[in-house]
C-alpha cells in the first residue's frame, strides 16, 4: 500500500513535469535574432500561446485549406516569419532545427510534429501580401524592424 | 512491362477527341462587381473559378506556363520525368481524322463532378465551394485512388523527401498533389494564376482564367469569342477547364 502511494506520487510528478518547462513569462533565448525578439507580444497572450498554440494552428489549418480564410493572425506562415531566427550573416535558421523555436520545448515535452516535412521551415519565396492597410501597418513596421536587425546584426554579435 | 506514359496519354486524348463533345454551355450569369474577397471571409459558391484554353494560340515549344507553375509552387523535381510532379504539362496530340498536330496544356480540369473526390477514402480530395478541386494534404493518406480515378492523369504523388518548399505552397512526401488554380494567390486577391500570367506575358494569351459569375472576366470573354468544349464530355464530369480549337 505504502509502495503504491509512492508510485502514484512519482507518476503524478512525471505527468506534471511538462508544466515546469513551459517557462511562464520568461523570455526564450535562442541562437540568432528573430522578429519576435523585438516584439512585446505574441498574436495572443504568451501564457495562452504556450499552452494552446497548436489549437490555433489546427483551427487555422482547416479554415484556410477548406474555407479559403487567409487571416494573418494565426497563420502558420506568419508564425514562422516572426519567430524564425537569423544568424550573423542574416541567413534564416530552420525554425525546427536544434535549439530553435519550434524545437526546444518540444524536445523537453516529447512532442513530435511533422509539419515541417511540407511547410518551409524558413520564410521562402514570394511574399503573398504586399498591400499596406491600417490593419497590417503593424506588421509592416515589424518587417522594417527586422530588416534593420538583419542588416545591423553585427551590433548584436557581442551578446551571448 | 515498360511504362510509356506519354503514348498512353496521347492515345487517351486522341480517343477523347473522337468522342464528339458538346459545345460548352455558359451557365446562368450572376452579375457581381469584381472585388477581392476580404482575407477573413470564407469562399462562397457565388464565385465560380474557371479556365478556358485556346489551343490555336498555344505555341509549340513554349513552356512558359509549366515553368511559371514550377516556380510558383516550388515543384522542383529530381530529374525523373516519370515520377516528378507535374501540375500542368504540355501534350502533343494528333487528330486521327486529318493528322493535324497540336499542343495542349493539360492540368486538373476542376470537374464539378470530380471522380477523385468520389473515391477518396478520407475526404482529403475535395471541391472547394468556389469550384477548386484540391487535396487537403493534412488528411491525405497517400493511397493514390484519386490518381487512378482521374481520366486526365492530372495528379502527382510525391515519392521522396523534399527540402526546398516555398512558403506559399507546402508539399511533402506521401501525399498526392495537383493544380489548385493557385488558390493561395486568388485568396489574396491576385485574380490570375501563375500559368495564365506567364502565357499573357509571352503574348500568347492562350489561357484565360477568371470567375464565371463575373461577366467581365477574361474567361467569360474567351467563352463568348469561341466555342469551347470539354475533354471526354461523354463522362459528364462538367469540367471548369474547357478548350477551344480542338
Amino acid at each position: 500500500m505504502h509502495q503504491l502511494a509512492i508510485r502514484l506520487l512519482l507518476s503524478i510528478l512525471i505527468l506534471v513535469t511538462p508544466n515546469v518547462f513551459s517557462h511562464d513569462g520568461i523570455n526564450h533565448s535562442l541562437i540568432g535574432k528573430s522578429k519576435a525578439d523585438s516584439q512585446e507580444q505574441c498574436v495572443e497572450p504568451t501564457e495562452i500561446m504556450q499552452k494552446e498554440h497548436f489549437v490555433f494552428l489546427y483551427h487555422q489549418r482547416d479554415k484556410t485549406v477548406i474555407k479559403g480564410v487567409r487571416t494573418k493572425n494565426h497563420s502558420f506562415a506568419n508564425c514562422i516569419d516572426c519567430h524564425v531566427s537569423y544568424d550573423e550573416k542574416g541567413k534564416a535558421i530552420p525554425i525546427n532545427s536544434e535549439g530553435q523555436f519550434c524545437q526546444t520545448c518540444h524536445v523537453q515535452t516529447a512532442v513530435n510534429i511533422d509539419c515541417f516535412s511540407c511547410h518551409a521551415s524558413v520564410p521562402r519565396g514570394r511574399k503573398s501580401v504586399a498591400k499596406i492597410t491600417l490593419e497590417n501597418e503593424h506588421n509592416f513596421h515589424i518587417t522594417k524592424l527586422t530588416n534593420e536587425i538583419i542588416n545591423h546584426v553585427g551590433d548584436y554579435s557581442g551578446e551571448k | 512491362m515498360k511504362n510509356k506514359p506519354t503514348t498512353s496519354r496521347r492515345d487517351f486524348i486522341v480517343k477523347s477527341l473522337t468522342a464528339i463533345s458538346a459545345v460548352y454551355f455558359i451557365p446562368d450569369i450572376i452579375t457581381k462587381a469584381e472585388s477581392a474577397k476580404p482575407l477573413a471571409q470564407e469562399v462562397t459558391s457565388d464565385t465560380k473559378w474557371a479556365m478556358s484554353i485556346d489551343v490555336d494560340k498555344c505555341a509549340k515549344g513554349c513552356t512558359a506556363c509549366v515553368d511559371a507553375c514550377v516556380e510558383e509552387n516550388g515543384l522542383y523535381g529530381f530529374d525523373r520525368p516519370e515520377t516528378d510532379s507535374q501540375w500542368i504539362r504540355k501534350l502533343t496530340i494528333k487528330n486521327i481524322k486529318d493528322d493535324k498536330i497540336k499542343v495542349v496544356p493539360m492540368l486538373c480540369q476542376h470537374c464539378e463532378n470530380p471522380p477523385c473526390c468520389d473515391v477518396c477514402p478520407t475526404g482529403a480530395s475535395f471541391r472547394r465551394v468556389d469550384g477548386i478541386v484540391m487535396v487537403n494534404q493534412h488528411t491525405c493518406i497517400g493511397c493514390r485512388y484519386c490518381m487512378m480515378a482521374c481520366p486526365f492523369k492530372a495528379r502527382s504523388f510525391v515519392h521522396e523527401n523534399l527540402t526546398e518548399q516555398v512558403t506559399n505552397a507546402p508539399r511533402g512526401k506521401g501525399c498526392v498533389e495537383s493544380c489548385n488554380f493557385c488558390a493561395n494567390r486568388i485568396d489574396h486577391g491576385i485574380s490570375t494564376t501563375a500559368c495564365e500570367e506567364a502565357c499573357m506575358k509571352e503574348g500568347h494569351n492562350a489561357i484565360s482564367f477568371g470567375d464565371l459569375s463575373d461577366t467581365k472576366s477574361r474567361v467569360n470573354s474567351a467563352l463568348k469569342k469561341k466555342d469551347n468544349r470539354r475533354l471526354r464530355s461523354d463522362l459528364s464530369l462538367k469540367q471548369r477547364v474547357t478548350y477551344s480549337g480542338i
Side-chain angles (χ1 to χ4, degrees):
Chain A
M1 191 64 214
H2 191 63
Q3 239 184 2
L4 195 77
I6 289 177
R7 269 191 203 161
L8 206 75
L9 211 79
L10 261 172
S11 42
I12 288 173
L13 251 169
I14 291 165
L15 281 174
V16 295
T17 323
N19 286 332
V20 181
F21 289 113
S22 58
H23 36 183
D24 294 73
I26 306 163
N27 260 339
H28 51 271
S29 62
L30 305 169
I31 306 148
K33 288 280 155 199
S34 67
K35 284 186 199 183
D37 293 350
S38 61
Q39 296 286 300
E40 297 271 294
Q41 255 231 49
C42 194
V43 290
E44 302 292 338
T46 310
E47 215 164 286
I48 295 175
M49 282 318 275
Q50 284 170 344
K51 291 184 181 125
E52 289 177 34
H53 55 284
F54 49 94
V55 179
F56 297 129
L57 285 172
Y58 287 157
H59 275 295
Q60 183 76 10
R61 181 173 79 170
D62 293 344
K63 261 173 31 189
T64 301
V65 176
I66 298 165
K67 298 189 173 137
V69 172
R70 295 279 174 183
T71 44
K72 245 189 142 181
N73 220 20
H74 294 161
S75 146
F76 196 17
N78 201 30
C79 316
I80 295 160
D81 193 55
C82 192
H83 277 292
V84 74
S85 293
Y86 295 86
D87 64 14
E88 287 107 63
K89 294 191 192 95
K91 201 167 167 286
I93 310 165
I95 197 163
N96 61 331
S97 58
E98 209 186 320
Q100 289 303 310
F101 189 73
C102 298
Q103 194 260 358
T104 39
C105 293
H106 291 170
V107 165
Q108 285 159 344
T109 52
V111 172
N112 261 314
I113 56 170
D114 68 347
C115 317
F116 297 106
S117 63
C118 292
H119 288 265
S121 53
V122 295
R124 194 185 289 126
R126 181 177 56 73
K127 281 259 169 25
S128 43
V129 229
K131 273 180 276 170
I132 300 158
T133 61
L134 266 182
E135 190 188 1
N136 62 20
E137 204 170 44
H138 180 65
N139 288 322
F140 178 69
H141 181 65
I142 298 167
T143 309
K144 236 179 79 192
L145 252 171
T146 322
N147 287 339
E148 276 163 23
I149 292 176
I150 296 163
N151 292 339
H152 301 105
V153 84
D155 301 348
Y156 292 89
S157 53
E159 195 186 312
K160 182 68 210 158
Chain B
M1 197 185 96
K2 212 157 170 272
N3 197 1
K4 279 190 190 154
T6 33
T7 34
S8 62
R9 264 176 218 143
R10 203 170 296 165
D11 277 356
F12 142 68
I13 295 292
V14 170
K15 274 188 205 122
S16 62
L17 284 177
T18 50
I20 305 296
S21 335
V23 171
Y24 188 84
F25 189 72
I26 303 169
D28 302 20
I29 290 157
I30 308 150
T31 24
K32 200 178 106 213
E34 197 186 18
S35 58
K37 172 185 83 66
L39 296 179
Q41 200 171 299
E42 294 178 7
V43 290
T44 67
S45 51
D46 292 345
T47 312
K48 297 178 166 62
W49 297 115
M51 185 179 276
S52 163
I53 298 175
D54 189 340
V55 174
D56 290 332
K57 290 183 182 165
C58 183
K60 228 190 222 163
C62 170
T63 54
C65 54
V66 180
D67 300 341
C69 183
V70 167
E71 179 162 13
E72 173 75 18
N73 299 297
L75 304 179
Y76 307 107
F78 298 85
D79 239 349
R80 286 170 214 151
E82 299 262 313
T83 51
D84 283 348
S85 280
Q86 299 173 317
W87 292 15
I88 181 170
R89 62 176 184 272
K90 294 261 307 246
L91 302 178
T92 308
I93 60 165
K94 194 163 118 186
N95 191 333
I96 47 173
K97 281 183 196 143
D98 55 7
D99 278 356
K100 263 203 186 131
I101 289 178
K102 291 189 173 180
V103 283
V104 184
M106 173 57 70
L107 67 161
C108 171
Q109 305 282 300
H110 297 279
C111 310
E112 283 177 31
N113 304 319
C116 51
C117 302
D118 290 343
V119 298
C120 181
T122 66
S125 278
F126 73 109
R127 186 169 171 268
R128 212 168 77 165
V129 289
D130 58 356
I132 305 179
V133 174
M134 51 182 171
V135 183
N136 181 350
Q137 303 211 355
H138 301 116
T139 43
C140 172
I141 54 169
C143 72
R144 287 164 269 179
Y145 283 179
C146 57
M147 292 175 69
M148 286 180 257
C150 178
F152 308 104
K153 296 221 184 307
R155 289 199 160 175
S156 304
F157 182 74
V158 180
H159 292 265
E160 283 155 281
N161 280 320
L162 306 175
T163 48
E164 295 292 308
Q165 296 97 324
V166 292
T167 294
N168 59 294
R171 49 193 292 266
K173 182 173 157 182
C175 278
V176 172
E177 56 182 19
S178 63
C179 161
N180 58 3
F181 269 170
C182 289
N184 199 330
R185 280 167 74 115
I186 297 168
D187 291 345
H188 283 104
I190 305 163
S191 65
T192 172
T193 61
C195 54
E196 186 201 26
E197 187 183 35
C199 192
M200 291 195 289
K201 270 195 193 142
E202 286 296 305
H204 298 318
N205 295 314
I207 303 178
S208 308
F209 176 78
D211 178 3
L212 288 177
S213 311
D214 175 6
T215 42
K216 291 199 273 315
S217 67
R218 290 181 302 279
V219 67
N220 268 335
S221 30
L223 290 174
K224 259 174 244 157
K225 249 182 247 156
K226 274 185 163 185
D227 282 347
N228 272 248
R229 51 168 46 162
R230 296 183 166 116
L231 303 179
R232 288 301 305 266
S233 59
D234 56 320
L235 297 175
S236 313
L237 302 176
K238 295 178 96 181
Q239 299 95 301
R240 286 266 172 96
V241 176
T242 57
Y243 293 83
S244 62
I246 49 172

